[in-house]
């Protein structure tokens, strides 16, 4: 059974810092992994999608990497801004089922 | 570009009432997924449909049922509502092609409040 864990659970940083969010999964037979952002009480905003054959994806200040063999993905946020404050969720789609298993999220606060 | 549409966006019900949530997938998407996100929790998979047939099932209570119609829209029916059913319900759609599937695109969610 796929289990997804995110560390840290919460993070508070001053504006301008580069930071790394971690996502671990137990079953390496994944189809893809997606990083989402969620503002309080709001929906899911897709940030980056990494297919199982890919090693990383980049969008603006965001870079996500995937290491299937070790069951890990990281989301790197460069030059953080107060507007980046949100909960970040990673979700893993396991081969054969396609449903997403979500991690518990990292609650990020960027201080001005 | 067209996105996944969910209606209603907000719904308030009393305990023991019934609720119906609707999901309209992106055009040409044939697969629909339903997820439930309780307060302070991560989204949990409920059920999915491919070509109007149930394709996978998660932690969906027996009080809930769902179906996918010929136009690929899906409805989640919830009966005998309980306080614990208060949550954000997401629908996602994708296109299954052969043995692979496109990524899931999520709708904005329906916030259900049970009083």
């Amino acid at each position: 059974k796929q289990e997804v864990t995110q560390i840290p659970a919460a993070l508070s940083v001053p504006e301008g810092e580069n930071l790394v969010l971690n996502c671990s999964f137990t079953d390496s037979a994944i189809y893809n992994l997606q990083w989402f952002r969620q503002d309080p009480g709001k929906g899911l905003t897709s940030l980056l999608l990494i297919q199982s054959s890919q090693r990383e994806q980049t969008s603006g200040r965001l870079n996500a990497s995937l290491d299937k063999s070790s069951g890990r993905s990281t989301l790197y946020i460069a030059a953080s801004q107060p507007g980046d404050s949100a909960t970040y969720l990673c979700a893993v789609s396991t081969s054969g089922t396609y449903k997403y298993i979500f991690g518990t999220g990292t609650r990020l606060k960027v201080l001005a | 570009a067209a996105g996944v549409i969910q209606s209603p966006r907000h719904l308030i019900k009393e305990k023991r009432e019934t609720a119906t949530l609707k999901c309209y997938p992106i055009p040409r998407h044939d697969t629909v997924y339903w997820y439930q996100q309780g307060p302070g929790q991560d989204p949990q998979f409920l059920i999915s449909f491919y070509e109007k047939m149930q394709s996978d099932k998660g932690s969906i209570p027996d009080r809930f049922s769902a179906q996918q119609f010929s136009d690929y829209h899906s409805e989640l029916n919830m009966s005998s509502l309980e306080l614990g059913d208060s949550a954000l319900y997401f629908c996602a759609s994708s296109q299954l092609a052969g043995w692979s599937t496109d990524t899931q695109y999520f709708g904005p969610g329906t916030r259900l409040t049970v009083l």
Side-chain angles (χ1 to χ4, degrees), chain A residues 31-32 34 36 38 40-44 49 51 89 93 97-105, chain B residues 33 35 37 42-45 56-58 88 90 96 99-104 106-108 111:
Chain A
Y31 182 72
N32 62 45
Q34 191 162 183
F36 294 89
Q38 186 174 35
K42 303 295 184 181
L44 301 170
L49 168 72
Q51 301 289 355
L89 293 160
S93 174
T97 67
Y98 306 123
K99 67 188 177 192
Y100 272 130
I101 303 298
F102 283 81
T104 46
Chain B
Y33 307 80
Y35 296 84
Q37 185 179 29
D42 52 285
Q44 297 289 320
F45 170 73
D56 201 353
K57 191 173 180 180
L88 195 52
F90 291 106
L96 187 66
W99 295 105
S100 66
T101 183
D102 197 356
T103 187
Q104 291 180 39
F106 281 77
R111 179 166 298 284

Side-chain angles (χ1 to χ4, degrees), chain A residues 75-86:
Chain A
L75 178 66
Y76 176 83
I77 303 177
S80 58
Q81 304 170 357
D84 295 331
S85 298

Side-chain angles (χ1 to χ4, degrees), chain B residues 68-88:
Chain B
Q68 185 179 32
F69 294 86
S70 57
D71 63 351
Y72 296 105
H73 94 273
S74 177
E75 294 183 0
L76 178 64
N77 298 293
M78 310 158 69
S79 63
S80 302
L81 288 169
E82 301 175 356
L83 296 178
D85 296 328
S86 295
L88 195 52

